[in-house]
Amino acid sequence: MKFFLDSAHVNEIAYALEMWNLDGVTTNPRHVQASGKPFMQVIQEIAKLFDGTDKPISVEVNPHHTDWKLMVAEGEKLAAMCPNFVIKLPAIEPGFKAVAALADKGIRSNLTLVFSTSQALQAMRMGAAFVSPFIGWKEANGEESVRFIQEIAAIRDNYGFETEIIVAAVRNGRQIAESAIAGADIVTAGLAVFKDSFDHPYTHDGLVKFCNFWDQTKYE
Ligand code: E4P
């Protein structure tokens, strides 16, 4: 089970790399906007952090593109900049076509904004390296998400697809654990979500108790 950071904040990514053995990064236009930096600048700064590793960094093409050829042209340009870049494409018909065209050129892509099992299936069929089902958005809409991930994982296993499932829009530790149990390969989440998931108030209560006992005991 791999952990990706969903962020374009260079300092957050550097922190997670150092502290958590981070496995990769996903960015999107909202994260890039929040970084306050131009797109090209921020993706190059992120790329520098991953120099000499094979960890993937998803970078999203211009979301205005509706022509698959424009998606492919931009994907090729981005992929040429850094071997870690994975081209993030929307789960719409031209996006699926662009996945196949990029795969033919040896360029990996990540299908984003996936909300149905059949969208995930088409991403896998077309040769996506990654598929990103958005569970937080579904749950906010009153839809279930565990069965959704189980279905995608079952299809991956039934047909031996090599596509890795990145569970996205993850809001809490429960969803991280459920994704792992349901058969996802990767969870991508924000810094605060991961930090909260590593923590529990009883751990801190227990530490206070153990410190008290420690202080009442001789070491040797
Ligand atoms: C995943 O790749 C997306 O960047 C992300 O999870 C989007 O959802 P959010 O911004 O609502 O968390």
Side-chain angles (χ1 to χ4, degrees), residues 6 26-28 30-31 88 112 132 134 137 168-169 171 188:
D6 198 29
T26 51
T27 65
N28 67 29
R30 180 175 74 80
H31 296 320
K88 208 169 176 188
T112 190
S132 294
F134 275 38
W137 293 22
R171 307 292 183 234
T188 191

Side-chain angles (χ1 to χ4, degrees), residues 42-112:
V42 79
I43 64 171
Q44 285 176 87
E45 287 181 14
I46 297 169
K48 254 198 190 132
L49 297 174
F50 288 86
D51 248 2
T53 77
D54 60 357
K55 297 182 180 187
I57 304 163
S58 285
V59 291
E60 195 154 337
V61 299
N62 181 340
H64 292 286
H65 290 333
T66 50
D67 179 340
W68 68 269
K69 289 183 182 153
L70 290 178
M71 295 179 185
V72 170
E74 194 183 352
E76 283 187 282
K77 177 176 156 188
L78 294 169
M81 289 169 56
C82 171
N84 303 64
F85 285 168
V86 170
I87 310 308
K88 208 169 176 188
L89 297 159
I92 55 176
E93 193 177 27
F96 294 123
K97 170 67 185 169
V99 165
L102 288 169
D104 282 346
K105 297 169 192 281
I107 297 172
R108 295 176 298 168
S109 37
N110 172 6
L111 258 289
T112 190

